[in-house]
Amino acid sequence: MLDDFLMRAALAGLGVALATAPLGCFVVWRRMAYFGDATAHAAILGVALSLAFSTSIFAGTLATALAMALAITSLSERGYAIDTLLGVLSHAALAIGLVAVSFLPGARIDLMSYLFGDILAVGRTDLAVIWVGAALVLGLVAWRWSALLAATLNADLARAAGIDPKREKMILTLALALVVAVAIKVVGALLIAAMLIIPAAAARPLSRTPEAMAVIAGAIAGLSALSGLWLSYLYDTPAGPTIICVAATCFALAALRRLSRL
């Protein structure tokens, strides 16, 4: 029978996979890959603030990720180039977070787990937070699926149907910040964007409908989490990066399948 810490790690990986898969589809459709990356980098600043004020890591990362996402959305609507904003705010937040953590005694070792993830150290409380967060994200996406899809496909048609594209973008931003806060313990801030993008990108050539793409992305993300965890345990490799490597392999296989049909 598997050890308790492995069972918790497996359940944590599945929870993150379920949360990132449908949201990752919208990230791919909207070409928001670097948006997710910037939000994830801001989470390091949230970790630093949480450690400094002895508050919940989840609350700190959620607050800073949400603040970053809202700042990017607001400034992009004021005429700033989105790629410039992402570059400036993403790297600035990451740098400020790393510098802030360096002033905290004894925090450097902990920082590595938040940069690259430490799924094997997930406790019962972390597991509860991950699954509650995943349930909230899934519920939010399921509730707004049609509106989010309409706003993603064509903003003008969405307005004609009575859907506010800005509101749907804010809902997507909120869900993205929640996913970052949930996933940081499992794959780390530097790999969260990969977990969002790679399974969805791998599912794209294998699906014919948006719903099918979300389901297939979830299956690929779950397979990557469990397989990556098993390979990490077998070969003593870092768990978070190993999970991403498995996901990247799935993407390569999907891409080869697509190319073979051309």
Side-chain angles (χ1 to χ4, degrees):
M1 186 175 179
L2 292 175
D3 294 331
D4 287 343
F5 79 94
L6 283 177
M7 289 298 296
R8 289 195 298 270
L11 289 172
L14 285 176
V16 170
L18 290 175
T20 56
L23 195 58
C25 292
F26 285 102
V27 170
V28 169
W29 292 330
R30 286 175 171 262
R31 299 181 180 180
M32 293 172 62
Y34 289 106
F35 187 93
D37 207 29
T39 308
H41 284 177
I44 293 299
L45 179 56
V47 170
L49 293 175
S50 298
L51 293 174
F53 294 102
S54 300
T55 60
S56 167
I57 296 293
F58 175 78
T61 53
L62 177 60
T64 53
L66 185 57
M68 170 65 80
L70 292 175
I72 293 173
T73 301
S74 176
L75 290 174
S76 64
E77 293 174 353
R78 296 175 182 270
Y80 288 92
I82 187 65
D83 58 340
T84 302
L85 280 175
L86 290 173
V88 171
L89 296 180
S90 171
H91 294 96
L94 180 60
I96 293 171
L98 293 174
V99 170
V101 168
S102 70
F103 288 101
L104 301 175
R108 293 190 180 184
I109 295 177
D110 292 334
L111 179 63
M112 296 302 294
S113 67
Y114 291 108
L115 283 172
F116 300 103
D118 193 4
I119 191 173
L120 297 179
V122 169
R124 294 180 183 273
T125 302
D126 297 321
L127 195 58
V129 169
I130 288 170
W131 275 95
V132 170
L136 289 173
V137 170
L138 287 174
L140 185 62
V141 172
W143 174 46
R144 304 301 303 173
W145 178 265
S146 297
L148 284 169
L149 194 58
T152 298
L153 294 176
N154 191 302
D156 293 331
L157 289 179
R159 290 190 191 93
I163 298 170
D164 184 358
K166 290 184 178 180
R167 181 188 61 199
E168 301 309 318
K169 187 175 182 179
M170 291 300 295
I171 290 173
L172 189 62
T173 296
L174 175 62
L176 186 60
L178 186 57
V179 161
V180 168
V182 164
I184 191 171
K185 184 73 173 180
V186 176
V187 293
L190 299 184
L191 301 176
I192 290 174
M195 198 63 181
L196 279 166
I197 300 164
I198 297 177
R204 194 168 195 172
L206 305 177
S207 53
R208 295 185 178 181
T209 65
E211 292 78 10
M213 180 172 166
V215 171
I216 295 173
I220 292 174
L223 175 66
S224 300
L226 295 180
S227 301
L229 181 62
W230 178 72
L231 290 171
S232 172
Y233 180 75
L234 195 63
Y235 295 105
D236 194 25
T237 57
T242 304
I243 290 172
I244 302 303
C245 286
V246 174
T249 301
C250 292
F251 172 78
L253 292 174
L256 287 174
R257 183 176 181 272
R258 183 179 184 180
L259 290 173
S260 67
R261 289 187 170 186
L262 296 179

